[in-house]
Every structure is written in C-alpha cells, then in structure tokens.
C-alpha cells in the first residue's frame, strides 16, 4: 500500500502518518530528511523524535540521496517529508539549483520496491499563489510536479485539514 | 462547538449566518459573551506563544471560525512562521473536540467531521 499525505503547516500530517504506520507491518522505518541548521530545526526534529519514541521506528537520517537507502527487511516506510528532501536536493550551500525531479522519483521507487507499505508526507507549497524569487518559484514547480507524479503512482492520497484526513484518491484505511 | 475553517473569502461567515446567527452574535477576534467567534487566526497571530490558553474558552463557543493559514511557502519570517504553526495546532485540538468541523470551499460547506 502506498499513501501520500499532503496539507499545509501544522495540519496534523505527521501525527496521522505515524498512526497509519502503526497499523502496518513491521519493521517500521522512519526516513528523516530534515537538515539541522539552527535551533528551530533542532527543536522540530526533537519534537518529532518524542512523538515517535514509543512507536518502535527504526530512524534513518538522510537529508539527500534516498536512492542509496538499503532496507534490511521488508516492512513499512514513513518518509517525512518531500518539501525538505526537495529543498535539500535542489539547493546546495552556494545557492546553485540542480534538477532533481528524476533523482527523487527514482529514490521513491527504490524505497517502494523494498517495502510492503510506503507512506510519504508532502506539503502544499503552491497554494498561497504568492510571487517569489526565481529559485523559490522553481522549487514550488518541482515539488508540485513531484506531488502530481506520486499521486499518480500511489494507491491513496489524503489531504489533512485540522487533523482530519480528506480522501482525494483511494479510500480511507 | 462547530469549527468552521476555510480560505479568506471562502464563505465561512455567510455559512454561519445560514445556521441562524446574525452579525450581533459574531465577535471579531475577541472573547466575550457572543456565541460565535470570528477570525481566530488574528487572535493567535497577536500572541502565538499564549494561543494554547484560548482552548478552554473556545470550547464554550457555539461556533469558532478560523482562516486556514498553513498553506503555501513556509514564511521566512520567524514570527509569522510560528503563528501559522500555532494556528494549525490549535485548530487540530479544536477539531478533535468539536462535534462538527466544516470546511468552506468556494462557498460550499464540506462537512469533514460530524
């Protein structure tokens, strides 16, 4: 089963994703993509670690190159999240942009081929309609295209609103 | 309590009026005796850190209306970013306790809970 979860900031995506993962087969792998570069990101990572503490996830920290991940056993994978992964892959520390679409898609396919259940958390970055600088616009477009592609490939797509899943594709599990 | 969410100008207030409330029942970002609270996001944005304390008072309202503020690019400005997250988290808690949650899209009330 492959499930894509989308929604804005703080709409309950992580909580719901973990709840779903708990219903699927073990082992449960959590792929953490957030790059720790300041106090705020450190706190965010810590908050998510606390949330997962009692849930027996095997955490794999990888902020780029998810295609290199090799899982020892088939089980359930929770990847969080596409917005960090895409930003990390796209922008190096000098601000250079790389075309990462194909790289990320093959990374997701590689993960999907190694597990029974894959849950991917993404974000709804294109919906404020705002005008940004060229590199941010490129980021919005890339993540948008990735979301479309994942939604096509996956069995279920849910949008989270106030912690409530709204079914956009498939059925509620 | 009914939680009503949606984008700016998505028809939230009109929907609440269709439930039988009038303008005099609707308090704009202030806690008083009126049964409907409107623009909850403004209250959170004025004090993101303390916004969790609004929870108990909000549960006593008949209707709480809040803009969905979490979509789009995550703001560079820290205060704005935190306020967005605080609004989202408060709405998640309110939605859990609410007997009904309605999301307005193009003026159409979509019942997402209850």
């Amino acid at each position: 089963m492959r499930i894509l979860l989308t929604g804005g900031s703080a709409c309950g995506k992580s909580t719901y994703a973990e709840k779903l993962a708990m219903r699927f087969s073990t082992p449960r792998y959590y792929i953490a993509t957030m790059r720790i570069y300041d106090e705020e990101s450190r706190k965010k990572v810590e908050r998510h670690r606390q949330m997962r503490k009692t849930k027996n996830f095997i955490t794999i920290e990888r902020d780029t190159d998810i295609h290199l991940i090799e899982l020892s056993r088939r089980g359930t994978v929770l990847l969080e999240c596409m917005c960090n992964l895409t930003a990390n892959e796209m922008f190096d520390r000098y601000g250079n942009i790389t075309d990462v679409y194909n790289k990320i898609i093959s990374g997701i396919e590689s993960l999907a081929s190694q597990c029974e259940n894959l849950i991917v958390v993404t974000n709804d970055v294109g919906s404020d309609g705002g005008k940004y600088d060229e590199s941010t616009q490129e980021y919005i477009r890339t993540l948008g295209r990735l979301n479309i592609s994942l939604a096509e490939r996956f069995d279920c797509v849910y949008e989270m609103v106030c912690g409530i899943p709204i079914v956009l594709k498939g059925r509620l599990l | 309590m009914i939680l009503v969410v949606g984008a700016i100008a998505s028809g939230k207030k009109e929907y609440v009026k269709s439930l039988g409330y009038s303008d005099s029942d609707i308090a704009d970002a202030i806690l008083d005796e009126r049964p409907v609270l409107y623009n909850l996001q403004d209250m959170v944005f004025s004090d993101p850190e303390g916004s969790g304390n609004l929870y108990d008072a909000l549960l006593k309202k008949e209707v709480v209306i809040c803009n969905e503020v979490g979509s789009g690019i995550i703001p560079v400005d820290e205060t704005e970013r935190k306020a967005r997250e605080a609004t989202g988290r408060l709405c998640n808690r309110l939605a859990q306790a609410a007997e009904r949650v309605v999301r307005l899209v193009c003026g159409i009330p979509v019942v997402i809970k209850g």
Side-chain angles (χ1 to χ4, degrees):
Chain A
M1 180 61 75
R2 302 184 191 187
I3 302 170
L4 181 68
L5 288 177
T6 188
S9 291
C11 63
K13 299 186 292 292
S14 306
T15 309
Y16 193 73
E18 286 171 18
K19 208 166 111 184
L20 272 177
M22 293 308 285
R23 294 165 48 186
F24 291 145
S25 56
T26 54
R28 300 187 189 101
Y29 299 94
Y30 180 90
I31 301 175
T33 61
M34 182 168 240
R35 195 171 274 173
I36 299 176
Y37 52 89
D38 62 6
E39 182 59 16
E40 187 180 336
S41 48
R42 196 192 59 73
K43 273 190 185 157
K44 194 154 197 155
V45 167
E46 190 46 42
R47 196 179 78 85
H48 280 201
R49 275 188 190 142
Q50 287 300 326
M51 277 166 67
R52 291 198 306 276
K53 211 172 173 182
T54 55
K55 296 178 183 155
N56 280 322
F57 278 96
I58 300 163
T59 299
I60 300 171
E61 291 187 1
R62 188 167 281 275
D63 58 18
T64 53
D65 299 308
I66 55 166
H67 60 283
L68 298 177
I69 295 173
E70 285 179 22
L71 303 176
S72 49
R73 284 164 61 204
R74 298 183 71 79
T76 299
V77 172
L78 167 51
L79 169 72
E80 185 156 15
C81 68
M82 288 299 290
C83 28
N84 284 328
L85 177 65
T86 306
N88 295 343
E89 291 281 9
M90 273 184 81
F91 305 108
D92 67 16
R93 60 196 153 122
Y94 307 107
N96 297 317
I97 300 184
T98 322
D99 183 9
V100 299
Y101 177 86
N102 290 317
K103 183 182 178 185
I104 294 178
I105 291 292
S106 31
I108 301 273
E109 284 302 340
S110 158
L111 285 175
S113 69
Q114 298 180 66
C115 65
E116 299 299 325
N117 304 291
L118 174 62
I119 303 167
V120 174
V121 175
T122 189
N123 200 323
D124 191 17
V125 293
S127 58
D128 61 10
K131 271 281 174 198
Y132 295 94
D133 60 89
E134 189 45 43
S135 61
T136 307
Q137 301 272 37
E138 188 54 36
Y139 168 73
I140 295 171
R141 279 194 293 268
T142 303
L143 186 49
R145 282 166 58 215
L146 284 165
N147 285 344
I148 291 170
S149 176
L150 295 189
E152 271 170 10
R153 288 156 204 260
F154 280 27
D155 305 295
C156 299
V157 183
Y158 305 151
E159 180 189 11
M160 298 303 297
V161 179
C162 301
I164 299 162
I166 297 175
V167 179
L168 302 180
K169 179 182 176 180
R171 63 188 169 83
L172 202 59
L173 294 173
Chain B
M1 187 264 293
I2 302 173
L3 178 64
V4 178
V5 297
I8 295 169
S10 57
K12 299 183 291 299
K13 203 164 152 189
E14 290 74 9
Y15 166 71
V16 170
K17 284 186 185 171
S18 79
L19 301 176
Y21 296 99
S22 66
D23 280 323
S24 60
D25 297 319
I26 302 174
D28 190 350
I30 186 163
L31 285 172
D32 57 19
E33 71 295 340
R34 285 173 284 183
V36 180
L37 179 85
Y38 178 53
N39 282 329
L40 171 61
Q41 77 286 345
D42 289 349
M43 298 181 76
V44 178
F45 271 66
S46 66
D47 178 21
E49 308 260 319
S51 60
N53 301 329
L54 299 170
Y55 178 75
D56 290 336
L58 292 168
L59 285 191
K60 292 181 189 132
K61 293 284 168 191
E62 291 173 28
V63 181
V64 175
I65 307 174
C66 189
N67 283 353
E68 281 182 68
V69 295
S71 293
I73 283 289
I74 295 158
V76 179
D77 179 69
E78 189 187 349
T79 317
E80 204 184 328
R81 200 163 58 230
K82 285 193 170 157
R84 255 167 52 122
E85 287 202 6
T87 307
R89 294 199 200 294
L90 182 56
C91 281
N92 293 347
R93 287 173 71 200
L94 291 172
Q96 261 195 337
E99 62 240 37
R100 190 183 304 159
V101 182
V102 183
R103 183 197 208 192
L104 270 292
V105 182
C106 302
I108 299 165
V110 183
V111 178
I112 61 175
K113 177 186 172 183

